[in-house]
Amino acid sequence: MASSERVTELLGAASRGDRAAADEVLELVYGELRSMAAARMAALPPGQTLQPTALVHEVYAKLAGKAETDWRDRRHFFATAARAMRHHLVDEARRKGAQRREASLGERSLDTIDVDGSDDAVDLVALSEALDALEASDPLKSEIVHLRYFAGLSIDETAAALGVAPSTVDLHWKYARAVLRRSLDGR
């Protein structure tokens, strides 16, 4: 894992337009971003064409291409990366859903993934909508879902990223999953 202070320093320099710092940040965090992507991709149904490396490159291009990147610190960068992964995967699910409708295959509905480790798969687009509603009412719980679910961080890693106790993350994670499950079941 890259030094948090070094990454924060480089993110600040990259925010000020230092391209060399941006490149160095990528080198330092690439492995972690790839692990995040691999964890997320492992939960998708078989037959996915998107690979973790491609997801990392898409996310990094999106993050690096932002006109204004005011990365406060390593935590902010990875939280933003988790959100970018979510949005890219939702866009992919929507694209595939549109292709399926156009082809009139009549197969399973949109790509599904497991929101909480149970066998009940959920629609990624529906999950994203439910997560938007959770974010409006409780941004911390939403951030925990992004880090746990989309970034694949453990309870302890999420707690360290947020600067809170693991028991706090665990409690909020359980609550957020229940809220999301209730929202998804109500569809």
Side-chain angles (χ1 to χ4, degrees):
M1 187 182 296
S3 159
S4 188
E5 295 81 19
R6 179 68 179 150
V7 170
T8 298
E9 174 187 317
L10 290 168
L11 288 170
S15 295
R16 293 184 298 278
D18 184 340
R19 191 69 212 153
D23 292 342
E24 190 174 342
V25 166
L26 179 58
E27 288 178 32
L28 289 173
V29 300
Y30 183 84
E32 290 175 80
L33 286 173
R34 183 147 189 332
S35 293
M36 287 169 51
R40 186 56 5 237
M41 299 300 296
L44 295 176
Q48 295 298 313
T49 55
L50 185 65
Q51 296 297 313
T53 301
L55 179 58
V56 168
H57 288 265
E58 290 290 333
V59 166
Y60 192 78
K62 191 177 290 186
L63 295 176
K66 288 178 121 177
E68 292 196 22
T69 55
D70 184 22
W71 308 116
R72 293 184 299 270
D73 54 24
R74 185 178 184 285
R75 172 187 163 235
H76 182 235
F77 177 81
F78 279 100
T80 304
R83 287 179 186 278
M85 281 186 195
R86 168 190 166 199
H87 292 293
H88 188 77
L89 291 171
V90 168
D91 289 346
E92 282 289 307
R94 284 186 176 128
R95 184 185 59 76
K96 286 184 179 186
Q99 287 174 343
R100 286 184 182 149
R101 283 188 298 278
E102 288 172 11
S104 299
L105 294 176
E107 294 177 12
R108 288 180 6 175
S109 64
L110 213 54
D111 292 334
T112 56
I113 56 176
D114 183 352
V115 70
D116 63 6
S118 70
D119 290 330
D120 299 325
V122 296
D123 181 317
L124 183 55
V125 175
L127 173 61
S128 182
E129 291 168 0
L131 191 52
D132 287 342
L134 177 63
E135 184 171 18
S137 66
D138 196 326
L140 176 62
K141 287 179 180 67
S142 174
E143 189 166 0
I144 288 170
V145 172
H146 278 97
L147 293 173
R148 293 274 296 129
Y149 185 73
F150 288 97
L153 299 184
S154 68
I155 294 284
D156 291 336
E157 291 167 331
T158 302
L162 296 174
V164 299
S167 59
T168 300
V169 171
D170 188 47
L171 181 67
H172 287 317
W173 172 239
K174 287 176 183 173
Y175 178 84
R177 284 189 342 208
V179 167
L180 293 172
R181 174 60 60 204
R182 187 171 38 248
S183 176
L184 294 170
D185 287 346
R187 291 188 158 266

mmCIF file of all heavy atoms in Angstrom, residues 17-66:
data_model
loop_
_atom_site.group_PDB
_atom_site.id
_atom_site.type_symbol
_atom_site.label_atom_id
_atom_site.label_comp_id
_atom_site.label_asym_id
_atom_site.label_seq_id
_atom_site.Cartn_x
_atom_site.Cartn_y
_atom_site.Cartn_z
ATOM 1 N N GLY A 17 -2.145 20.745 -11.545
ATOM 2 C CA GLY A 17 -1.773 20.598 -12.946
ATOM 3 C C GLY A 17 -0.455 19.904 -13.208
ATOM 4 O O GLY A 17 -0.008 19.849 -14.354
ATOM 5 N N ASP A 18 0.191 19.362 -12.190
ATOM 6 C CA ASP A 18 1.479 18.683 -12.362
ATOM 7 C C ASP A 18 1.236 17.290 -12.944
ATOM 8 O O ASP A 18 0.835 16.365 -12.245
ATOM 9 C CB ASP A 18 2.192 18.601 -11.012
ATOM 10 C CG ASP A 18 3.577 17.987 -11.101
ATOM 11 O OD1 ASP A 18 3.876 17.284 -12.091
ATOM 12 O OD2 ASP A 18 4.360 18.196 -10.148
ATOM 13 N N ARG A 19 1.468 17.136 -14.232
ATOM 14 C CA ARG A 19 1.212 15.875 -14.939
ATOM 15 C C ARG A 19 2.119 14.754 -14.433
ATOM 16 O O ARG A 19 1.711 13.605 -14.343
ATOM 17 C CB ARG A 19 1.418 16.087 -16.440
ATOM 18 C CG ARG A 19 0.932 14.964 -17.283
ATOM 19 C CD ARG A 19 -0.594 14.896 -17.239
ATOM 20 N NE ARG A 19 -0.965 13.502 -17.367
ATOM 21 C CZ ARG A 19 -2.065 12.961 -16.894
ATOM 22 N NH1 ARG A 19 -2.930 13.685 -16.264
ATOM 23 N NH2 ARG A 19 -2.323 11.695 -17.050
ATOM 24 N N ALA A 20 3.366 15.076 -14.095
ATOM 25 C CA ALA A 20 4.295 14.065 -13.586
ATOM 26 C C ALA A 20 3.779 13.511 -12.255
ATOM 27 O O ALA A 20 3.879 12.306 -11.997
ATOM 28 C CB ALA A 20 5.692 14.650 -13.421
ATOM 29 N N ALA A 21 3.219 14.383 -11.414
ATOM 30 C CA ALA A 21 2.658 13.933 -10.136
ATOM 31 C C ALA A 21 1.462 13.024 -10.379
ATOM 32 O O ALA A 21 1.302 12.000 -9.704
ATOM 33 C CB ALA A 21 2.256 15.135 -9.276
ATOM 34 N N ALA A 22 0.629 13.366 -11.347
ATOM 35 C CA ALA A 22 -0.529 12.529 -11.676
ATOM 36 C C ALA A 22 -0.080 11.149 -12.133
ATOM 37 O O ALA A 22 -0.661 10.133 -11.742
ATOM 38 C CB ALA A 22 -1.384 13.205 -12.742
ATOM 39 N N ASP A 23 0.966 11.116 -12.957
ATOM 40 C CA ASP A 23 1.494 9.826 -13.427
ATOM 41 C C ASP A 23 2.056 9.004 -12.269
ATOM 42 O O ASP A 23 1.861 7.791 -12.202
ATOM 43 C CB ASP A 23 2.575 10.043 -14.491
ATOM 44 C CG ASP A 23 2.013 10.604 -15.784
ATOM 45 O OD1 ASP A 23 0.783 10.502 -15.994
ATOM 46 O OD2 ASP A 23 2.802 11.148 -16.578
ATOM 47 N N GLU A 24 2.741 9.683 -11.344
ATOM 48 C CA GLU A 24 3.307 8.975 -10.197
ATOM 49 C C GLU A 24 2.212 8.445 -9.274
ATOM 50 O O GLU A 24 2.329 7.347 -8.726
ATOM 51 C CB GLU A 24 4.269 9.881 -9.421
ATOM 52 C CG GLU A 24 5.065 9.124 -8.370
ATOM 53 C CD GLU A 24 6.124 9.960 -7.679
ATOM 54 O OE1 GLU A 24 6.504 11.023 -8.205
ATOM 55 O OE2 GLU A 24 6.568 9.533 -6.596
ATOM 56 N N VAL A 25 1.138 9.219 -9.119
ATOM 57 C CA VAL A 25 0.005 8.749 -8.313
ATOM 58 C C VAL A 25 -0.528 7.453 -8.903
ATOM 59 O O VAL A 25 -0.768 6.483 -8.178
ATOM 60 C CB VAL A 25 -1.126 9.808 -8.237
ATOM 61 C CG1 VAL A 25 -2.406 9.197 -7.696
ATOM 62 C CG2 VAL A 25 -0.713 10.972 -7.371
ATOM 63 N N LEU A 26 -0.705 7.431 -10.213
ATOM 64 C CA LEU A 26 -1.212 6.224 -10.856
ATOM 65 C C LEU A 26 -0.303 5.032 -10.568
ATOM 66 O O LEU A 26 -0.784 3.954 -10.237
ATOM 67 C CB LEU A 26 -1.380 6.410 -12.358
ATOM 68 C CG LEU A 26 -1.887 5.179 -13.111
ATOM 69 C CD1 LEU A 26 -3.223 4.712 -12.557
ATOM 70 C CD2 LEU A 26 -1.984 5.454 -14.592
ATOM 71 N N GLU A 27 0.992 5.239 -10.668
ATOM 72 C CA GLU A 27 1.929 4.150 -10.382
ATOM 73 C C GLU A 27 1.781 3.656 -8.944
ATOM 74 O O GLU A 27 1.830 2.456 -8.686
ATOM 75 C CB GLU A 27 3.366 4.610 -10.615
ATOM 76 C CG GLU A 27 3.720 4.778 -12.071
ATOM 77 C CD GLU A 27 5.152 5.282 -12.244
ATOM 78 O OE1 GLU A 27 6.013 4.943 -11.405
ATOM 79 O OE2 GLU A 27 5.396 6.013 -13.217
ATOM 80 N N LEU A 28 1.607 4.598 -8.010
ATOM 81 C CA LEU A 28 1.520 4.231 -6.593
ATOM 82 C C LEU A 28 0.205 3.534 -6.237
ATOM 83 O O LEU A 28 0.185 2.670 -5.370
ATOM 84 C CB LEU A 28 1.692 5.467 -5.704
ATOM 85 C CG LEU A 28 3.086 6.068 -5.649
ATOM 86 C CD1 LEU A 28 3.066 7.376 -4.867
ATOM 87 C CD2 LEU A 28 4.067 5.087 -5.012
ATOM 88 N N VAL A 29 -0.885 3.934 -6.879
ATOM 89 C CA VAL A 29 -2.193 3.399 -6.477
ATOM 90 C C VAL A 29 -2.757 2.378 -7.458
ATOM 91 O O VAL A 29 -3.807 1.799 -7.205
ATOM 92 C CB VAL A 29 -3.221 4.535 -6.265
ATOM 93 C CG1 VAL A 29 -2.760 5.492 -5.184
ATOM 94 C CG2 VAL A 29 -3.521 5.263 -7.559
ATOM 95 N N TYR A 30 -2.057 2.132 -8.557
ATOM 96 C CA TYR A 30 -2.580 1.236 -9.590
ATOM 97 C C TYR A 30 -2.960 -0.130 -9.018
ATOM 98 O O TYR A 30 -4.039 -0.640 -9.297
ATOM 99 C CB TYR A 30 -1.572 1.073 -10.731
ATOM 100 C CG TYR A 30 -2.118 0.207 -11.836
ATOM 101 C CD1 TYR A 30 -2.929 0.750 -12.813
ATOM 102 C CD2 TYR A 30 -1.853 -1.160 -11.874
ATOM 103 C CE1 TYR A 30 -3.458 -0.035 -13.816
ATOM 104 C CE2 TYR A 30 -2.381 -1.953 -12.867
ATOM 105 C CZ TYR A 30 -3.185 -1.388 -13.841
ATOM 106 O OH TYR A 30 -3.722 -2.180 -14.826
ATOM 107 N N GLY A 31 -2.088 -0.715 -8.230
ATOM 108 C CA GLY A 31 -2.363 -2.038 -7.670
ATOM 109 C C GLY A 31 -3.628 -2.042 -6.808
ATOM 110 O O GLY A 31 -4.428 -2.977 -6.883
ATOM 111 N N GLU A 32 -3.793 -0.997 -6.015
ATOM 112 C CA GLU A 32 -4.983 -0.911 -5.169
ATOM 113 C C GLU A 32 -6.244 -0.708 -6.009
ATOM 114 O O GLU A 32 -7.279 -1.321 -5.738
ATOM 115 C CB GLU A 32 -4.835 0.223 -4.158
ATOM 116 C CG GLU A 32 -3.794 -0.083 -3.099
ATOM 117 C CD GLU A 32 -3.558 1.090 -2.174
ATOM 118 O OE1 GLU A 32 -4.377 1.283 -1.262
ATOM 119 O OE2 GLU A 32 -2.578 1.816 -2.400
ATOM 120 N N LEU A 33 -6.150 0.146 -7.033
ATOM 121 C CA LEU A 33 -7.297 0.336 -7.915
ATOM 122 C C LEU A 33 -7.653 -0.966 -8.630
ATOM 123 O O LEU A 33 -8.817 -1.314 -8.770
ATOM 124 C CB LEU A 33 -7.012 1.432 -8.942
ATOM 125 C CG LEU A 33 -7.013 2.866 -8.444
ATOM 126 C CD1 LEU A 33 -6.545 3.816 -9.552
ATOM 127 C CD2 LEU A 33 -8.385 3.278 -7.939
ATOM 128 N N ARG A 34 -6.632 -1.698 -9.061
ATOM 129 C CA ARG A 34 -6.880 -2.961 -9.762
ATOM 130 C C ARG A 34 -7.510 -3.988 -8.826
ATOM 131 O O ARG A 34 -8.405 -4.726 -9.216
ATOM 132 C CB ARG A 34 -5.603 -3.523 -10.362
ATOM 133 C CG ARG A 34 -5.921 -4.793 -11.156
ATOM 134 C CD ARG A 34 -5.079 -5.007 -12.333
ATOM 135 N NE ARG A 34 -5.469 -6.079 -13.207
ATOM 136 C CZ ARG A 34 -6.116 -7.188 -12.926
ATOM 137 N NH1 ARG A 34 -6.555 -7.432 -11.738
ATOM 138 N NH2 ARG A 34 -6.372 -8.094 -13.856
ATOM 139 N N SER A 35 -7.069 -4.014 -7.566
ATOM 140 C CA SER A 35 -7.683 -4.922 -6.589
ATOM 141 C C SER A 35 -9.144 -4.560 -6.352
ATOM 142 O O SER A 35 -10.000 -5.442 -6.247
ATOM 143 C CB SER A 35 -6.931 -4.862 -5.258
ATOM 144 O OG SER A 35 -5.637 -5.386 -5.409
ATOM 145 N N MET A 36 -9.421 -3.258 -6.271
ATOM 146 C CA MET A 36 -10.802 -2.807 -6.118
ATOM 147 C C MET A 36 -11.641 -3.280 -7.298
ATOM 148 O O MET A 36 -12.740 -3.819 -7.130
ATOM 149 C CB MET A 36 -10.867 -1.272 -6.047
ATOM 150 C CG MET A 36 -10.372 -0.661 -4.768
ATOM 151 S SD MET A 36 -10.162 1.161 -4.840
ATOM 152 C CE MET A 36 -11.718 1.736 -5.473
ATOM 153 N N ALA A 37 -11.127 -3.072 -8.501
ATOM 154 C CA ALA A 37 -11.858 -3.448 -9.709
ATOM 155 C C ALA A 37 -12.045 -4.958 -9.786
ATOM 156 O O ALA A 37 -13.126 -5.447 -10.130
ATOM 157 C CB ALA A 37 -11.121 -2.939 -10.945
ATOM 158 N N ALA A 38 -11.007 -5.720 -9.458
ATOM 159 C CA ALA A 38 -11.100 -7.183 -9.512
ATOM 160 C C ALA A 38 -12.135 -7.699 -8.519
ATOM 161 O O ALA A 38 -12.916 -8.602 -8.841
ATOM 162 C CB ALA A 38 -9.735 -7.809 -9.241
ATOM 163 N N ALA A 39 -12.173 -7.106 -7.334
ATOM 164 C CA ALA A 39 -13.165 -7.521 -6.336
ATOM 165 C C ALA A 39 -14.575 -7.256 -6.847
ATOM 166 O O ALA A 39 -15.471 -8.083 -6.691
ATOM 167 C CB ALA A 39 -12.928 -6.781 -5.019
ATOM 168 N N ARG A 40 -14.779 -6.121 -7.451
ATOM 169 C CA ARG A 40 -16.101 -5.772 -7.964
ATOM 170 C C ARG A 40 -16.469 -6.642 -9.136
ATOM 171 O O ARG A 40 -17.585 -7.123 -9.250
ATOM 172 C CB ARG A 40 -16.114 -4.284 -8.351
ATOM 173 C CG ARG A 40 -17.429 -3.755 -8.764
ATOM 174 C CD ARG A 40 -18.614 -3.910 -7.790
ATOM 175 N NE ARG A 40 -18.378 -4.462 -6.502
ATOM 176 C CZ ARG A 40 -18.995 -5.543 -5.989
ATOM 177 N NH1 ARG A 40 -19.909 -6.182 -6.644
ATOM 178 N NH2 ARG A 40 -18.715 -5.988 -4.796
ATOM 179 N N MET A 41 -15.522 -6.870 -10.048
ATOM 180 C CA MET A 41 -15.799 -7.666 -11.241
ATOM 181 C C MET A 41 -16.078 -9.124 -10.891
ATOM 182 O O MET A 41 -16.846 -9.786 -11.572
ATOM 183 C CB MET A 41 -14.627 -7.583 -12.218
ATOM 184 C CG MET A 41 -14.308 -6.180 -12.722
ATOM 185 S SD MET A 41 -15.650 -5.372 -13.591
ATOM 186 C CE MET A 41 -15.821 -6.433 -14.993
ATOM 187 N N ALA A 42 -15.478 -9.620 -9.815
ATOM 188 C CA ALA A 42 -15.704 -11.007 -9.404
ATOM 189 C C ALA A 42 -17.154 -11.249 -9.017
ATOM 190 O O ALA A 42 -17.640 -12.382 -9.094
ATOM 191 C CB ALA A 42 -14.776 -11.364 -8.247
ATOM 192 N N ALA A 43 -17.852 -10.211 -8.597
ATOM 193 C CA ALA A 43 -19.238 -10.356 -8.170
ATOM 194 C C ALA A 43 -20.229 -10.275 -9.328
ATOM 195 O O ALA A 43 -21.411 -10.540 -9.147
ATOM 196 C CB ALA A 43 -19.583 -9.283 -7.138
ATOM 197 N N LEU A 44 -19.749 -9.928 -10.512
ATOM 198 C CA LEU A 44 -20.644 -9.820 -11.663
ATOM 199 C C LEU A 44 -20.919 -11.198 -12.256
ATOM 200 O O LEU A 44 -20.137 -12.124 -12.088
ATOM 201 C CB LEU A 44 -20.026 -8.898 -12.717
ATOM 202 C CG LEU A 44 -19.865 -7.440 -12.302
ATOM 203 C CD1 LEU A 44 -19.147 -6.660 -13.392
ATOM 204 C CD2 LEU A 44 -21.204 -6.808 -11.996
ATOM 205 N N PRO A 45 -22.023 -11.343 -12.963
ATOM 206 C CA PRO A 45 -22.348 -12.634 -13.567
ATOM 207 C C PRO A 45 -21.311 -13.040 -14.610
ATOM 208 O O PRO A 45 -20.643 -12.169 -15.177
ATOM 209 C CB PRO A 45 -23.706 -12.404 -14.241
ATOM 210 C CG PRO A 45 -24.157 -11.055 -13.867
ATOM 211 C CD PRO A 45 -23.027 -10.327 -13.236
ATOM 212 N N PRO A 46 -21.194 -14.333 -14.877
ATOM 213 C CA PRO A 46 -20.249 -14.799 -15.892
ATOM 214 C C PRO A 46 -20.581 -14.204 -17.259
ATOM 215 O O PRO A 46 -21.712 -13.833 -17.527
ATOM 216 C CB PRO A 46 -20.452 -16.317 -15.916
ATOM 217 C CG PRO A 46 -21.205 -16.651 -14.681
ATOM 218 C CD PRO A 46 -21.924 -15.416 -14.254
ATOM 219 N N GLY A 47 -19.574 -14.122 -18.103
ATOM 220 C CA GLY A 47 -19.785 -13.636 -19.461
ATOM 221 C C GLY A 47 -19.527 -12.151 -19.625
ATOM 222 O O GLY A 47 -19.804 -11.592 -20.677
ATOM 223 N N GLN A 48 -18.980 -11.521 -18.606
ATOM 224 C CA GLN A 48 -18.669 -10.097 -18.710
ATOM 225 C C GLN A 48 -17.503 -9.895 -19.668
ATOM 226 O O GLN A 48 -16.554 -10.652 -19.660
ATOM 227 C CB GLN A 48 -18.288 -9.526 -17.335
ATOM 228 C CG GLN A 48 -19.408 -9.549 -16.335
ATOM 229 C CD GLN A 48 -20.582 -8.703 -16.768
ATOM 230 O OE1 GLN A 48 -20.424 -7.580 -17.192
ATOM 231 N NE2 GLN A 48 -21.770 -9.273 -16.679
ATOM 232 N N THR A 49 -17.590 -8.867 -20.466
ATOM 233 C CA THR A 49 -16.495 -8.577 -21.381
ATOM 234 C C THR A 49 -15.531 -7.562 -20.782
ATOM 235 O O THR A 49 -14.386 -7.496 -21.192
ATOM 236 C CB THR A 49 -17.033 -8.036 -22.718
ATOM 237 O OG1 THR A 49 -17.860 -6.898 -22.462
ATOM 238 C CG2 THR A 49 -17.848 -9.103 -23.436
ATOM 239 N N LEU A 50 -15.982 -6.790 -19.830
ATOM 240 C CA LEU A 50 -15.135 -5.802 -19.179
ATOM 241 C C LEU A 50 -14.190 -6.505 -18.208
ATOM 242 O O LEU A 50 -14.614 -7.324 -17.408
ATOM 243 C CB LEU A 50 -15.997 -4.781 -18.435
ATOM 244 C CG LEU A 50 -15.284 -3.609 -17.781
ATOM 245 C CD1 LEU A 50 -14.629 -2.728 -18.839
ATOM 246 C CD2 LEU A 50 -16.278 -2.790 -16.967
ATOM 247 N N GLN A 51 -12.919 -6.173 -18.281
ATOM 248 C CA GLN A 51 -11.914 -6.761 -17.405
ATOM 249 C C GLN A 51 -11.492 -5.732 -16.355
ATOM 250 O O GLN A 51 -11.600 -4.537 -16.580
ATOM 251 C CB GLN A 51 -10.694 -7.195 -18.222
ATOM 252 C CG GLN A 51 -10.993 -8.294 -19.224
ATOM 253 C CD GLN A 51 -11.445 -9.572 -18.544
ATOM 254 O OE1 GLN A 51 -10.830 -10.022 -17.584
ATOM 255 N NE2 GLN A 51 -12.533 -10.150 -19.016
ATOM 256 N N PRO A 52 -10.988 -6.199 -15.193
ATOM 257 C CA PRO A 52 -10.573 -5.258 -14.152
ATOM 258 C C PRO A 52 -9.571 -4.209 -14.634
ATOM 259 O O PRO A 52 -9.690 -3.033 -14.300
ATOM 260 C CB PRO A 52 -9.947 -6.160 -13.084
ATOM 261 C CG PRO A 52 -10.629 -7.472 -13.261
ATOM 262 C CD PRO A 52 -10.877 -7.586 -14.745
ATOM 263 N N THR A 53 -8.613 -4.613 -15.444
ATOM 264 C CA THR A 53 -7.622 -3.658 -15.946
ATOM 265 C C THR A 53 -8.302 -2.573 -16.773
ATOM 266 O O THR A 53 -7.992 -1.388 -16.635
ATOM 267 C CB THR A 53 -6.547 -4.372 -16.781
ATOM 268 O OG1 THR A 53 -5.907 -5.354 -15.951
ATOM 269 C CG2 THR A 53 -5.509 -3.407 -17.302
ATOM 270 N N ALA A 54 -9.235 -2.966 -17.614
ATOM 271 C CA ALA A 54 -9.953 -1.990 -18.433
ATOM 272 C C ALA A 54 -10.784 -1.063 -17.553
ATOM 273 O O ALA A 54 -10.851 0.146 -17.809
ATOM 274 C CB ALA A 54 -10.846 -2.706 -19.441
ATOM 275 N N LEU A 55 -11.402 -1.607 -16.513
ATOM 276 C CA LEU A 55 -12.189 -0.780 -15.599
ATOM 277 C C LEU A 55 -11.294 0.244 -14.901
ATOM 278 O O LEU A 55 -11.641 1.420 -14.805
ATOM 279 C CB LEU A 55 -12.921 -1.647 -14.566
ATOM 280 C CG LEU A 55 -13.764 -0.895 -13.530
ATOM 281 C CD1 LEU A 55 -14.827 -0.019 -14.184
ATOM 282 C CD2 LEU A 55 -14.414 -1.902 -12.578
ATOM 283 N N VAL A 56 -10.119 -0.188 -14.444
ATOM 284 C CA VAL A 56 -9.180 0.735 -13.800
ATOM 285 C C VAL A 56 -8.789 1.848 -14.764
ATOM 286 O O VAL A 56 -8.770 3.028 -14.394
ATOM 287 C CB VAL A 56 -7.916 0.000 -13.301
ATOM 288 C CG1 VAL A 56 -6.821 0.981 -12.914
ATOM 289 C CG2 VAL A 56 -8.259 -0.886 -12.122
ATOM 290 N N HIS A 57 -8.504 1.498 -16.010
ATOM 291 C CA HIS A 57 -8.097 2.507 -16.987
ATOM 292 C C HIS A 57 -9.231 3.480 -17.285
ATOM 293 O O HIS A 57 -9.005 4.693 -17.389
ATOM 294 C CB HIS A 57 -7.558 1.852 -18.255
ATOM 295 C CG HIS A 57 -6.223 1.219 -18.048
ATOM 296 N ND1 HIS A 57 -5.049 1.866 -18.330
ATOM 297 C CD2 HIS A 57 -5.880 0.008 -17.534
ATOM 298 C CE1 HIS A 57 -4.029 1.066 -18.010
ATOM 299 N NE2 HIS A 57 -4.514 -0.058 -17.527
ATOM 300 N N GLU A 58 -10.448 2.961 -17.394
ATOM 301 C CA GLU A 58 -11.608 3.829 -17.621
ATOM 302 C C GLU A 58 -11.794 4.791 -16.457
ATOM 303 O O GLU A 58 -12.016 5.987 -16.650
ATOM 304 C CB GLU A 58 -12.879 2.993 -17.812
ATOM 305 C CG GLU A 58 -12.938 2.228 -19.097
ATOM 306 C CD GLU A 58 -13.124 3.119 -20.308
ATOM 307 O OE1 GLU A 58 -13.707 4.216 -20.175
ATOM 308 O OE2 GLU A 58 -12.685 2.718 -21.389
ATOM 309 N N VAL A 59 -11.714 4.253 -15.246
ATOM 310 C CA VAL A 59 -11.910 5.071 -14.050
ATOM 311 C C VAL A 59 -10.801 6.105 -13.926
ATOM 312 O O VAL A 59 -11.070 7.286 -13.675
ATOM 313 C CB VAL A 59 -11.985 4.176 -12.790
ATOM 314 C CG1 VAL A 59 -11.846 4.988 -11.518
ATOM 315 C CG2 VAL A 59 -13.296 3.405 -12.786
ATOM 316 N N TYR A 60 -9.572 5.690 -14.120
ATOM 317 C CA TYR A 60 -8.471 6.638 -13.980
ATOM 318 C C TYR A 60 -8.553 7.722 -15.053
ATOM 319 O O TYR A 60 -8.321 8.902 -14.768
ATOM 320 C CB TYR A 60 -7.109 5.951 -14.010
ATOM 321 C CG TYR A 60 -6.032 6.912 -13.581
ATOM 322 C CD1 TYR A 60 -5.843 7.208 -12.233
ATOM 323 C CD2 TYR A 60 -5.244 7.574 -14.503
ATOM 324 C CE1 TYR A 60 -4.885 8.121 -11.824
ATOM 325 C CE2 TYR A 60 -4.285 8.492 -14.101
ATOM 326 C CZ TYR A 60 -4.115 8.757 -12.762
ATOM 327 O OH TYR A 60 -3.175 9.670 -12.369
ATOM 328 N N ALA A 61 -8.909 7.343 -16.270
ATOM 329 C CA ALA A 61 -9.050 8.343 -17.340
ATOM 330 C C ALA A 61 -10.131 9.350 -16.980
ATOM 331 O O ALA A 61 -9.967 10.558 -17.196
ATOM 332 C CB ALA A 61 -9.370 7.659 -18.663
ATOM 333 N N LYS A 62 -11.216 8.849 -16.398
ATOM 334 C CA LYS A 62 -12.298 9.744 -15.987
ATOM 335 C C LYS A 62 -11.828 10.679 -14.876
ATOM 336 O O LYS A 62 -12.104 11.873 -14.902
ATOM 337 C CB LYS A 62 -13.498 8.911 -15.513
ATOM 338 C CG LYS A 62 -14.752 9.713 -15.306
ATOM 339 C CD LYS A 62 -15.917 8.819 -14.904
ATOM 340 C CE LYS A 62 -16.355 7.963 -16.079
ATOM 341 N NZ LYS A 62 -17.553 7.183 -15.809
ATOM 342 N N LEU A 63 -11.109 10.131 -13.914
ATOM 343 C CA LEU A 63 -10.636 10.944 -12.793
ATOM 344 C C LEU A 63 -9.576 11.938 -13.244
ATOM 345 O O LEU A 63 -9.593 13.109 -12.857
ATOM 346 C CB LEU A 63 -10.071 10.058 -11.687
ATOM 347 C CG LEU A 63 -11.052 9.120 -10.995
ATOM 348 C CD1 LEU A 63 -10.328 8.250 -9.989
ATOM 349 C CD2 LEU A 63 -12.171 9.882 -10.325
ATOM 350 N N ALA A 64 -8.645 11.493 -14.045
ATOM 351 C CA ALA A 64 -7.549 12.360 -14.494
ATOM 352 C C ALA A 64 -8.036 13.396 -15.500
ATOM 353 O O ALA A 64 -7.456 14.472 -15.608
ATOM 354 C CB ALA A 64 -6.433 11.528 -15.106
ATOM 355 N N GLY A 65 -9.118 13.076 -16.196
ATOM 356 C CA GLY A 65 -9.633 13.985 -17.215
ATOM 357 C C GLY A 65 -10.518 15.087 -16.677
ATOM 358 O O GLY A 65 -10.934 15.967 -17.429
ATOM 359 N N LYS A 66 -10.822 15.061 -15.389
ATOM 360 C CA LYS A 66 -11.660 16.104 -14.814
ATOM 361 C C LYS A 66 -10.922 17.436 -14.889
ATOM 362 O O LYS A 66 -9.740 17.524 -14.579
ATOM 363 C CB LYS A 66 -11.972 15.800 -13.348
ATOM 364 C CG LYS A 66 -12.938 14.666 -13.146
ATOM 365 C CD LYS A 66 -13.123 14.435 -11.675
ATOM 366 C CE LYS A 66 -14.568 14.600 -11.315
ATOM 367 N NZ LYS A 66 -14.814 14.326 -9.903
#
